[in-house]
PDB file of all heavy atoms in Angstrom:
ATOM      1  N   ARG A 176      95.193 143.766 146.847  1.00 98.00           N
ATOM      2  CA  ARG A 176      96.618 143.406 146.986  1.00 98.00           C
ATOM      3  C   ARG A 176      96.786 142.390 148.103  1.00 98.00           C
ATOM      4  O   ARG A 176      96.250 142.521 149.162  1.00 98.00           O
ATOM      5  CB  ARG A 176      97.399 144.675 147.315  1.00 98.00           C
ATOM      6  CG  ARG A 176      98.898 144.403 147.526  1.00 98.00           C
ATOM      7  CD  ARG A 176      99.671 145.654 147.896  1.00 98.00           C
ATOM      8  NE  ARG A 176      99.792 146.514 146.754  1.00 98.00           N
ATOM      9  CZ  ARG A 176      99.370 147.808 146.694  1.00 98.00           C
ATOM     10  NH1 ARG A 176      98.801 148.366 147.737  1.00 98.00           N
ATOM     11  NH2 ARG A 176      99.554 148.512 145.610  1.00 98.00           N
ATOM     12  N   LEU A 227     108.955 144.829 143.785  1.00 98.00           N
ATOM     13  CA  LEU A 227     109.065 144.177 145.106  1.00 98.00           C
ATOM     14  C   LEU A 227     107.884 144.545 145.985  1.00 98.00           C
ATOM     15  O   LEU A 227     108.030 145.116 147.056  1.00 98.00           O
ATOM     16  CB  LEU A 227     110.399 144.584 145.754  1.00 98.00           C
ATOM     17  CG  LEU A 227     110.842 143.766 146.986  1.00 98.00           C
ATOM     18  CD1 LEU A 227     111.033 142.309 146.654  1.00 98.00           C
ATOM     19  CD2 LEU A 227     112.106 144.375 147.564  1.00 98.00           C
ATOM     20  N   ALA A 229     103.674 143.074 146.981  1.00 98.00           N
ATOM     21  CA  ALA A 229     103.135 141.906 147.704  1.00 98.00           C
ATOM     22  C   ALA A 229     103.604 140.597 147.110  1.00 98.00           C
ATOM     23  O   ALA A 229     104.060 139.673 147.815  1.00 98.00           O
ATOM     24  CB  ALA A 229     101.600 141.991 147.720  1.00 98.00           C
ATOM     25  N   ILE A 230     103.477 140.470 145.765  1.00 98.00           N
ATOM     26  CA  ILE A 230     103.879 139.217 145.127  1.00 98.00           C
ATOM     27  C   ILE A 230     105.412 139.086 145.123  1.00 98.00           C
ATOM     28  O   ILE A 230     105.956 138.030 145.489  1.00 98.00           O
ATOM     29  CB  ILE A 230     103.326 139.161 143.673  1.00 98.00           C
ATOM     30  CG1 ILE A 230     101.808 139.236 143.671  1.00 98.00           C
ATOM     31  CG2 ILE A 230     103.813 137.860 142.983  1.00 98.00           C
ATOM     32  CD1 ILE A 230     101.204 139.410 142.291  1.00 98.00           C
ATOM     33  N   ARG A 249     112.474 148.151 142.411  1.00 98.00           N
ATOM     34  CA  ARG A 249     111.134 148.624 142.622  1.00 98.00           C
ATOM     35  C   ARG A 249     111.069 150.038 142.064  1.00 98.00           C
ATOM     36  O   ARG A 249     112.051 150.589 141.618  1.00 98.00           O
ATOM     37  CB  ARG A 249     110.770 148.587 144.120  1.00 98.00           C
ATOM     38  CG  ARG A 249     111.544 149.564 144.965  1.00 98.00           C
ATOM     39  CD  ARG A 249     111.453 149.337 146.442  1.00 98.00           C
ATOM     40  NE  ARG A 249     110.115 149.057 146.875  1.00 98.00           N
ATOM     41  CZ  ARG A 249     109.795 148.630 148.109  1.00 98.00           C
ATOM     42  NH1 ARG A 249     110.768 148.407 148.975  1.00 98.00           N
ATOM     43  NH2 ARG A 249     108.534 148.404 148.459  1.00 98.00           N
ATOM     44  N   GLY A 251     110.142 152.955 143.739  1.00 95.00           N
ATOM     45  CA  GLY A 251     110.713 153.910 144.634  1.00 95.00           C
ATOM     46  C   GLY A 251     112.052 153.439 145.170  1.00 95.00           C
ATOM     47  O   GLY A 251     112.557 152.415 144.762  1.00 95.00           O
ATOM     48  N   VAL A 307     104.214 136.868 135.891  1.00 98.00           N
ATOM     49  CA  VAL A 307     102.955 136.640 136.564  1.00 98.00           C
ATOM     50  C   VAL A 307     102.210 137.984 136.765  1.00 98.00           C
ATOM     51  O   VAL A 307     101.230 138.029 137.512  1.00 98.00           O
ATOM     52  CB  VAL A 307     103.115 135.954 137.944  1.00 98.00           C
ATOM     53  CG1 VAL A 307     103.530 134.509 137.773  1.00 98.00           C
ATOM     54  CG2 VAL A 307     104.141 136.729 138.781  1.00 98.00           C
ATOM     55  N   TYR A 396      98.700 152.405 140.725  1.00 97.00           N
ATOM     56  CA  TYR A 396      98.581 151.110 141.385  1.00 97.00           C
ATOM     57  C   TYR A 396      98.518 151.327 142.911  1.00 97.00           C
ATOM     58  O   TYR A 396      98.719 152.440 143.348  1.00 97.00           O
ATOM     59  CB  TYR A 396      99.775 150.203 141.053  1.00 97.00           C
ATOM     60  CG  TYR A 396     101.103 150.649 141.479  1.00 97.00           C
ATOM     61  CD1 TYR A 396     101.728 150.168 142.654  1.00 97.00           C
ATOM     62  CD2 TYR A 396     101.835 151.615 140.753  1.00 97.00           C
ATOM     63  CE1 TYR A 396     102.959 150.564 143.081  1.00 97.00           C
ATOM     64  CE2 TYR A 396     103.099 152.033 141.177  1.00 97.00           C
ATOM     65  CZ  TYR A 396     103.650 151.487 142.335  1.00 97.00           C
ATOM     66  OH  TYR A 396     104.894 151.916 142.701  1.00 97.00           O
TER      67      TYR A 396
HETATM   68  N1  NAP B 838      98.688 136.542 137.489  1.00 89.93           N
HETATM   69  C1  NAP B 838      97.719 136.911 138.292  1.00 89.93           C
HETATM   70  O1  NAP B 838      96.671 136.252 138.443  1.00 89.93           O
HETATM   71  C2  NAP B 838      97.860 138.178 139.083  1.00 89.93           C
HETATM   72  C3  NAP B 838      97.234 138.285 140.312  1.00 89.93           C
HETATM   73  C4  NAP B 838      97.444 139.423 141.094  1.00 89.93           C
HETATM   74  C5  NAP B 838      98.160 140.464 140.579  1.00 89.93           C
HETATM   75  N2  NAP B 838      98.721 140.350 139.328  1.00 89.93           N
HETATM   76  C6  NAP B 838      99.511 141.479 138.786  1.00 89.93           C
HETATM   77  O2  NAP B 838     100.684 141.619 139.514  1.00 89.93           O
HETATM   78  C7  NAP B 838     100.888 142.983 139.803  1.00 89.93           C
HETATM   79  C8  NAP B 838     101.710 143.179 141.056  1.00 89.93           C
HETATM   80  O3  NAP B 838     100.932 142.756 142.172  1.00 89.93           O
HETATM   81  P1  NAP B 838     101.347 143.127 143.683  1.00 89.93           P
HETATM   82  O4  NAP B 838     100.207 142.777 144.504  1.00 89.93           O
HETATM   83  O5  NAP B 838     102.672 142.553 143.987  1.00 89.93           O
HETATM   84  O6  NAP B 838     101.465 144.687 143.519  1.00 89.93           O
HETATM   85  P2  NAP B 838     102.175 145.776 144.482  1.00 89.93           P
HETATM   86  O7  NAP B 838     102.188 145.237 145.881  1.00 89.93           O
HETATM   87  O8  NAP B 838     101.556 147.055 144.186  1.00 89.93           O
HETATM   88  O9  NAP B 838     103.697 145.785 143.983  1.00 89.93           O
HETATM   89  C9  NAP B 838     104.077 146.319 142.782  1.00 89.93           C
HETATM   90  C10 NAP B 838     105.554 146.531 142.811  1.00 89.93           C
HETATM   91  O10 NAP B 838     105.986 146.994 141.511  1.00 89.93           O
HETATM   92  C11 NAP B 838     106.858 148.112 141.683  1.00 89.93           C
HETATM   93  N3  NAP B 838     106.799 148.975 140.519  1.00 89.93           N
HETATM   94  C12 NAP B 838     105.770 149.763 140.103  1.00 89.93           C
HETATM   95  N4  NAP B 838     106.125 150.437 138.976  1.00 89.93           N
HETATM   96  C13 NAP B 838     107.399 150.067 138.694  1.00 89.93           C
HETATM   97  C14 NAP B 838     108.340 150.457 137.697  1.00 89.93           C
HETATM   98  N5  NAP B 838     108.004 151.346 136.742  1.00 89.93           N
HETATM   99  N6  NAP B 838     109.585 149.896 137.730  1.00 89.93           N
HETATM  100  C15 NAP B 838     109.935 149.054 138.748  1.00 89.93           C
HETATM  101  N7  NAP B 838     109.080 148.640 139.716  1.00 89.93           N
HETATM  102  C16 NAP B 838     107.823 149.165 139.708  1.00 89.93           C
HETATM  103  C17 NAP B 838     106.362 148.809 142.954  1.00 89.93           C
HETATM  104  O11 NAP B 838     107.378 149.630 143.443  1.00 89.93           O
HETATM  105  P3  NAP B 838     107.231 150.363 144.883  1.00 89.93           P
HETATM  106  O12 NAP B 838     107.407 149.262 145.898  1.00 89.93           O
HETATM  107  O13 NAP B 838     108.353 151.317 144.899  1.00 89.93           O
HETATM  108  O14 NAP B 838     105.886 150.997 144.930  1.00 89.93           O
HETATM  109  C18 NAP B 838     106.067 147.586 143.799  1.00 89.93           C
HETATM  110  O15 NAP B 838     107.231 147.120 144.442  1.00 89.93           O
HETATM  111  C19 NAP B 838      99.467 143.598 139.862  1.00 89.93           C
HETATM  112  O16 NAP B 838      99.440 144.956 139.631  1.00 89.93           O
HETATM  113  C20 NAP B 838      98.746 142.798 138.833  1.00 89.93           C
HETATM  114  O17 NAP B 838      98.866 143.450 137.580  1.00 89.93           O
HETATM  115  C21 NAP B 838      98.602 139.259 138.591  1.00 89.93           C
END
Side-chain angles (χ1 to χ4, degrees):
R176 177 181 289 124
L227 193 61
I230 299 170
R249 68 193 315 169
V307 288
Y396 65 99

